[in-house]
């Protein structure tokens, strides 16, 4: 059967699960120290409403909730925002009709979004290309390009508009876009929908991978929307899609444009990137002084036709295991525990946006970042006649 396989018997459930098992070898102080080193300041558990927990149990998705605090201030009230991150496997086999696959994923997301509403989520972000399998390994066009739709008027956006208005929730919906205005080209796009239900705009993927099975430039090229930041009723948000997380300057410009929360909706597999995953979003949150929501899909998606990775190894039907592990990172270096590596999940995180200015005042990274120096050097590096500034030992 060509579908998202249940990997629970062969894949480690989560880092947190391993730490829990290791508790027996550590005393209480050692266990606390290990978690402090791994996660920074502990995120406090939030109470999950019984109705939401029941929905998660019946729907067989993980539900975790944490709070990340800031210091109390005399002149500013806390700016509390609840963020929701969603990771999920595909629901139907990749050989099923396109419309059946999309409908099943929509129903799944409706269920998880309702749980997010019950948990008080203000801003929710789904994973990269959430309403379809991650087909870009195949290099095939049909039927996969039939998942593409208008960012402004497509059925996925219409559904998200209904949910956003119903739940008073900002929704970030990453899709495969068919740009009908520009000759029907494809783009990897995140649509931002206000809690009023109106489409605020879209942000496209700035950097396109050409590594392993990520053959995305067969379908679309680098985005042309820059580093838009959306002023919502729950803070200023940016969207750095997937592979863009490997580019520090990409993260930087969202910060320059005033982002307070940057989402990184992704689809990445364990053999390729898992050692990087716990590091990059956290580094970005620290270096740019904002919150980051790192989201990865989960499961193993199997396709009917074999494809190769161009590395001399045998052809295969699957991309590899998407390892989930979604988490939120804060500008003070702390992070939440992650979601599972093997199952669908919703991570709810209450953050205090006041922490951003508090960390800026403490570390002075913005004051010391030397934009003038880097602007000059980057401008030189972009020129065809650029010569690296390397100093050699004098010759006799």
């Amino acid at each position: 059967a060509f579908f998202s396989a249940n990997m629970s018997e062969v894949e480690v459930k989560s880092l947190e699960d391993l730490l829990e098992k290791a508790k027996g070898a550590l005393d209480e102080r050692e266990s606390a120290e290990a978690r402090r080193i791994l996660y920074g300041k502990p995120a406090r558990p939030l109470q999950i409403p019984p109705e939401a927990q029941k929905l998660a149990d019946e729907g067989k998705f993980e539900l975790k909730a944490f709070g990340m605090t800031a210091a109390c201030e005399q002149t500013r009230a806390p700016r509390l925002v609840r963020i929701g991150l969603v990771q999920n496997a595909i629901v139907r086999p990749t050989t099923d009709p396109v419309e059946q696959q999309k409908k099943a994923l929509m129903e799944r997301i409706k269920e998880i979004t309702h749980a997010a509403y019950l948990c008080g989520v203000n801003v929710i972000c789904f994973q990269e290309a959430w309403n379809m399998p991650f087909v870009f390994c195949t290099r095939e066009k049909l039927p996969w390009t039939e998942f593409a739709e208008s960012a402004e008027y497509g059925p996925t956006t219409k559904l998200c508009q209904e949910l956003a208005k119903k739940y008073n929730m900002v929704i970030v919906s990453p899709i495969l876009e068919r740009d009908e205005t520009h000759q029907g080209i494809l783009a990897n796009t995140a649509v931002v929908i206000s809690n009023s239900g109106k489409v605020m705009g879209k942000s496209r993927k700035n950097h396109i991978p050409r590594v392993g099975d990520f053959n995305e430039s067969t379908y679309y090229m680098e985005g042309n929307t820059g580093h838009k930041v959306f002023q919502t009723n729950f803070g200023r948000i940016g969207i750095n899609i997937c592979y863009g997380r490997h580019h520090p300057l990409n993260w930087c410009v969202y910060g320059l444009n005033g982002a307070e929360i940057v989402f990184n909706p992704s689809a990445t597999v364990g053999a390729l990137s898992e050692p990087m995953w716990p590091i990059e979003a956290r580094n970005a949150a620290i270096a740019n002084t904002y919150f980051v929501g790192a989201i990865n899909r989960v499961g193993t998606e199997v396709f009917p036709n074999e494809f190769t990775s161009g590395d001399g190894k045998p052809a295969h039907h699957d991309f590899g295991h998407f390892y989930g592990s979604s988490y939120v990172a804060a500008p003070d270096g702390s992070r939440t525990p992650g979601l599972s590596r093997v199952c669908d999940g919703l991570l709810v995180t209450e953050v205090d946006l006041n922490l951003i200015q508090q960390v800026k005042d403490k570390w002075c990274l913005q004051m010391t970042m030397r934009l003038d120096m880097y602007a000059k050097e980057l401008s030189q590096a972009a020129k065809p006649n650029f010569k690296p500034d390397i100093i050699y030992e004098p010759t006799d």
Side-chain angles (χ1 to χ4, degrees):
F2 300 107
F3 61 98
S4 178
N6 180 0
M7 301 296 291
S8 60
E9 295 181 4
V10 295
E11 291 285 347
V12 171
K13 182 181 177 182
S14 67
L15 172 62
E16 290 73 27
D17 190 54
L18 294 178
L19 288 173
E20 196 63 30
K21 290 178 180 178
K23 262 187 173 181
L26 304 173
D27 63 33
E28 189 174 341
R29 186 192 67 81
E30 291 171 330
S31 180
E33 276 296 282
R35 288 184 174 273
R36 181 189 66 81
I37 292 167
L38 283 171
Y39 296 125
K41 183 174 66 177
R44 75 182 194 282
L46 293 180
Q47 186 173 1
I48 296 173
E51 189 178 353
Q53 189 60 64
K54 181 182 178 186
L55 191 61
D57 292 342
E58 293 176 350
K60 293 182 171 57
F61 61 88
E62 185 179 29
L63 176 55
K64 289 185 175 180
F66 299 97
M68 309 181 93
T69 59
C72 293
E73 299 185 21
Q74 295 184 37
T75 58
R76 290 196 303 174
R79 296 179 62 208
L80 301 179
V81 176
R82 289 205 176 188
I83 301 167
L85 308 184
V86 179
Q87 64 178 48
N88 60 277
I90 58 173
V91 180
R92 299 293 295 264
T94 59
T95 49
D96 275 9
V98 167
E99 287 302 318
Q100 289 184 18
Q101 292 186 60
K102 287 179 71 171
K103 183 178 179 181
L105 280 163
M106 286 179 173
E107 290 302 314
R108 183 59 163 167
I109 286 299
K110 283 166 65 176
E111 180 181 30
I112 297 175
T113 303
H114 183 62
Y117 162 71
L118 295 173
C119 292
V121 165
N122 305 117
V123 185
I124 195 169
C125 185
F126 307 138
Q127 66 199 21
E128 182 182 18
W130 71 264
N131 63 343
M132 61 184 292
F134 207 73
V135 302
F136 311 114
C137 52
T138 68
R139 297 188 293 275
E140 301 166 344
K141 297 303 173 74
L142 290 176
W144 314 126
T145 54
E146 295 181 70
F147 282 97
E149 59 184 77
S150 166
E152 291 79 14
Y153 309 111
T156 299
T157 295
K158 288 182 178 178
L159 169 67
C160 291
Q161 287 181 281
E162 293 170 6
L163 295 174
K165 188 172 183 180
K166 178 180 179 180
Y167 295 137
N168 189 33
M169 187 186 299
V170 173
I171 294 180
V172 180
S173 173
I175 63 169
L176 179 62
E177 178 192 5
R178 174 78 69 187
D179 188 343
E180 297 165 349
T181 303
H182 296 93
Q183 303 185 63
I185 63 167
L186 299 174
N188 189 317
T189 302
V191 185
V192 180
I193 297 146
S194 170
N195 58 310
S196 68
K198 296 178 181 177
V199 175
M200 293 187 70
K202 61 190 179 186
S203 183
R204 288 174 171 166
K205 189 171 183 174
N206 283 326
H207 297 274
I208 306 302
R210 294 159 178 86
V211 56
D213 289 330
F214 289 85
N215 300 305
E216 295 173 51
S217 58
T218 305
Y219 301 86
Y220 46 78
M221 297 301 287
E222 284 74 14
N224 59 359
T225 54
H227 298 81
K228 294 186 183 301
V229 171
F230 298 85
Q231 177 66 69
T232 76
N233 287 333
F234 307 109
R236 295 188 298 271
I237 66 172
I239 306 98
N240 179 6
I241 301 175
C242 198
Y243 188 71
R245 72 181 177 279
H246 304 306
H247 294 269
L249 289 175
N250 200 34
W251 290 109
C252 176
V253 182
Y254 289 108
L256 294 178
N257 283 336
E260 296 172 308
I261 305 166
V262 177
F263 293 103
N264 178 227
S266 301
T268 185
V269 292
L272 181 68
S273 66
E274 197 161 10
M276 303 176 185
W277 181 256
I279 300 168
E280 289 175 303
R282 198 172 180 185
N283 281 353
I286 296 166
N288 301 289
T289 321
Y290 48 50
F291 290 92
V292 175
I295 309 147
N296 186 26
R297 71 169 55 206
V298 71
T300 302
E301 301 173 2
V302 183
F303 297 93
N305 299 321
E306 284 187 325
F307 51 89
T308 70
S309 302
D311 56 3
K313 295 180 181 179
H316 43 277
H317 286 276
D318 68 273
F319 215 133
H321 179 66
F322 295 104
Y323 53 83
S325 306
S326 304
Y327 69 98
V328 171
D332 63 357
S334 62
R335 57 155 288 184
T336 67
L339 289 176
S340 169
R341 297 180 70 259
V342 296
C343 68
D344 293 6
L346 167 64
L347 175 64
V348 177
T349 307
E350 182 178 88
V351 303
D352 186 345
L353 298 181
N354 283 352
L355 182 64
I356 294 170
Q357 190 61 60
Q358 292 174 12
V359 173
K360 285 181 178 180
D361 290 346
K362 179 178 181 178
W363 281 96
C364 302
L365 297 181
Q366 284 65 34
M367 184 173 69
T368 59
M369 70 190 304
R370 299 296 305 278
L371 283 177
D372 54 343
M373 178 179 71
Y374 291 111
K376 179 180 177 182
E377 295 185 15
L378 288 169
S379 177
Q380 291 297 320
K383 293 179 180 177
N385 62 347
F386 169 69
K387 293 182 179 180
D389 190 7
I390 301 172
I391 308 300
Y392 297 93
E393 181 180 352
T395 58
D396 294 333

